[in-house]
Amino acid sequence: MTREINTETPVLTQRDARHIVRMIGESGLPPSKGISHYNVGNSSLLRTLEDYYFQDFLKDGGGSFKLVVGDYGAGKSHFLLCVRDLAWRSGFVVSRTDLSPKECPYDNQLAVYQSVARNIIWHTEDVTIEDDTGLDVFLENHFNQTCLKLGVAVPFEGGEIDPRLQGWLDSILQARVESRSFQYAVHAFLNALARGDKAQRALLGSYLIGEPITARQTQAFNVNEKMDKSNAFRMLRSLCQMIHELGHSGTVLLFDEGERMVSIGSSKQEKIACDNLREVIDRCADGKLPGTLFVYAVPPRFVTDIAPKYPALSQRVGKRADVFSRKNPFSTIISLEDLDLPGVELLRQIGARLLAIYEIAYEPHFTASLQSKNIAMLSEQCAALLSDHARREFVKAWVNFLNEQRADGERPYGEESVISEIRKVHEEIEGSSSASSGPARSKEY
């Protein structure tokens, strides 16, 4: 029997609707919040992740690795945000990292750790409160939440920490964490919060997010390892282990724009990056990353061109034809070519949802039948000129049309004007040198 995912989407406010429209209209990229209001086509993938992983394997301490494969503009960032929201609903902690050769090269394990630690999100269900990021901020919020649960109003009084809180702090040192230095750093950080020691909090907080703190600076807290490239991945494992030990369901690490990771320059860098990726997969399998889901977004050429050069990695990733589904839930590859809806219908439904969001945002009086025809025309031409999953061009062009009609009145859009708009938007997104030459990306891209 088909079961809908329990999204519990809150009522969309005008302010949030305007945020969604503005973000899409400016860049075509999905907004950080509100993705559920226009998400369609991937329910079976999300439902399978929920049933087999978030509600089962991961909560039991397992670890898993998934590779999200899709062309540029096929919705990889969108899908990762959907996974993020699903993880939050299941009690998981999320860190979302953008891979790039300069800011987060995957051949540099320390840079990856730093990016993950700085992007750990403390999420709240209150839509009026912005989420906080950073491992230090996350731990501080967790500390405050723990005080509330324990009924501790004043953590430090009369020169002593409240006994209930002290018992909890002592339990941190009994947690199963690979790096003792990492474990002692978390304990000392939380202890500093309890005592109100701002200097100690700042020092240990900097260490935990991977800033260049020497062992000499932290040895008073039994933190004897400087965090560097040689131990960064062990520290990352320790981070995931600690989050699990703190009582959270687990950790979801999302790595976006994986094509940047495989376009890092030299073959040596590529090999190191792929070796690191292979190690991630192995550590997920051997229990060293309890309750952890690694998710990477990559273009198809990673599976077809990059991974085959490294047999050990290729064997672990699997073949592109062996894709994740309800019938094959243990496959590594999640293909965005295998969605619940065919390409044109997918775009049509996205268009209809964005129309509803736009009407909440700006309250125009659009005619449903006319706009349905405009959506159909834009969907069909996007699929014909670009690809069946040219979401980014589609949503940006559609918001442009809605803005135009809001200003000048409703009108039907013919084939010529739609093609012209798609070419203009494509040039803005792709950086094409000439709009007149047409989209550089064909359906075979």
Side-chain angles (χ1 to χ4, degrees):
M1 182 175 69
T2 301
R3 178 177 57 79
E4 290 298 320
I5 292 175
N6 180 25
T7 58
E8 298 183 1
T9 303
V11 174
L12 184 64
T13 65
Q14 185 177 58
R15 185 190 69 173
D16 291 341
R18 289 185 175 184
H19 171 73
I20 292 170
V21 171
R22 186 178 300 109
M23 183 70 182
I24 292 173
E26 288 177 354
S27 65
L29 294 172
S32 60
K33 290 187 176 182
I35 197 88
S36 60
H37 290 287
Y38 69 96
N39 179 58
V40 295
N42 56 24
S43 291
S44 64
L45 294 176
L46 295 174
R47 189 163 53 243
T48 302
L49 281 172
E50 181 182 41
D51 289 347
Y52 283 89
Y53 293 90
F54 289 115
Q55 297 301 326
D56 185 11
F57 182 63
L58 297 174
K59 282 192 173 180
D60 290 338
S64 187
F65 172 88
K66 298 299 176 188
L67 202 66
V68 175
V69 180
D71 282 325
Y72 182 78
K76 294 191 294 295
S77 297
H78 178 104
F79 185 76
L80 292 188
L81 290 174
C82 291
V83 174
R84 178 204 65 182
D85 290 355
L86 177 60
W88 281 338
R89 290 195 298 273
S90 300
F92 286 75
V93 175
V94 178
S95 177
R96 181 170 174 267
T97 294
D98 291 324
L99 291 171
S100 71
K102 291 182 179 180
E103 296 180 8
C104 184
Y106 202 71
D107 61 308
N108 183 337
Q109 291 187 2
L110 179 59
V112 174
Y113 173 87
Q114 291 168 332
S115 187
V116 168
R118 289 168 182 166
N119 288 293
I120 288 277
I121 303 166
W122 178 266
H123 175 64
T124 174
E125 294 298 327
D126 189 338
V127 296
T128 65
I129 300 175
E130 289 295 320
D131 293 333
D132 290 326
T133 58
L135 180 56
D136 54 338
V137 177
F138 173 88
L139 290 172
E140 185 166 357
N141 277 292
H142 183 88
F143 172 86
N144 292 334
Q145 186 181 74
T146 300
C147 287
L148 287 174
K149 289 181 178 178
L150 294 174
V152 176
V154 182
F156 189 69
E157 189 173 29
E160 293 184 355
I161 294 176
D162 183 286
R164 292 166 293 179
L165 188 58
Q166 186 64 62
W168 175 72
L169 289 171
D170 291 343
S171 72
I172 301 297
L173 294 178
Q174 305 305 315
R176 292 171 294 179
V177 176
E178 187 172 346
S179 168
R180 290 293 284 173
S181 283
F182 187 91
Q183 187 168 23
Y184 277 119
V186 171
H187 177 266
F189 178 85
L190 295 171
N191 194 284
L193 292 176
R195 295 177 178 275
D197 189 330
K198 294 182 180 179
Q200 183 176 325
R201 182 229 181 271
L203 175 65
L204 274 302
S206 295
Y207 177 86
L208 287 168
I209 62 174
E211 292 186 1
I213 304 298
T214 67
R216 187 175 182 179
Q217 292 173 277
T218 59
Q219 61 185 4
F221 311 107
N222 291 319
V223 180
N224 299 315
E225 288 184 275
K226 176 185 176 181
M227 204 174 291
D228 56 28
K229 291 181 181 179
S230 68
N231 62 16
F233 194 67
R234 184 157 58 89
M235 294 297 186
L236 181 59
R237 295 197 298 270
S238 298
L239 185 159
C240 295
Q241 292 160 3
M242 180 58 75
I243 286 175
H244 191 256
E245 291 287 308
L246 286 172
H248 298 274
S249 297
T251 312
V252 176
L253 304 181
L254 305 175
F255 292 88
D256 204 357
E257 294 301 321
E259 58 261 42
R260 296 175 185 171
M261 186 267 285
V262 298
S263 301
I264 55 180
S266 73
S267 59
K268 180 180 178 181
Q269 288 175 304
E270 180 185 273
K271 182 179 186 305
I272 294 172
C274 288
D275 283 345
N276 289 341
L277 192 56
R278 176 193 53 74
E279 185 177 357
V280 167
I281 300 172
D282 288 347
R283 295 294 79 79
C284 285
D286 67 13
K288 293 292 182 65
L289 289 161
T292 303
L293 177 65
F294 273 80
V295 185
Y296 281 77
V298 296
R301 64 188 178 83
F302 176 83
V303 179
T304 58
D305 300 339
I306 303 296
K309 293 191 287 184
Y310 307 96
L313 175 61
S314 184
Q315 291 168 7
R316 289 160 174 78
V317 169
K319 298 180 180 179
R320 189 179 178 186
D322 180 33
V323 297
F324 180 86
S325 68
R326 195 72 180 174
K327 295 180 180 179
N328 191 20
F330 307 125
S331 173
T332 297
I333 297 174
I334 298 177
S335 173
L336 296 185
E337 293 181 359
D338 299 284
L339 298 177
D340 301 337
L341 300 169
V344 172
E345 181 59 26
L346 178 73
L347 296 179
R348 283 178 178 171
Q349 291 199 23
I350 292 172
R353 293 204 176 192
L354 283 179
L355 174 62
I357 292 171
Y358 194 94
E359 290 177 329
I360 292 173
Y362 298 107
E363 301 179 341
H365 299 289
F366 288 135
T367 303
S369 58
L370 173 59
Q371 299 309 324
S372 179
K373 292 178 181 178
N374 285 336
I375 291 171
M377 174 65 72
L378 181 59
S379 302
E380 290 162 5
Q381 292 304 319
C382 272
L385 290 169
L386 301 175
S387 73
D388 287 347
H389 304 301
R391 289 191 187 187
R392 192 173 175 190
E393 286 91 345
F394 172 81
V395 296
K396 193 173 189 312
W398 182 224
V399 169
N400 288 348
F401 281 151
L402 291 173
N403 285 335
E404 184 177 81
Q405 292 180 89
R406 177 169 164 250
D408 298 336
E410 287 186 288
R411 71 180 181 90
Y413 287 93
E415 183 176 314
E416 184 175 342
S417 59
V418 168
I419 291 174
S420 175
E421 182 65 23
I422 292 171
R423 285 177 170 166
K424 183 189 77 173
V425 168
H426 182 83
E427 181 182 326
E428 292 174 5
I429 292 175
E430 299 286 343
S432 174
S433 60
S434 173
S436 63
S437 63
R441 173 158 46 101
S442 68
K443 291 188 70 174
E444 287 71 38
Y445 174 81

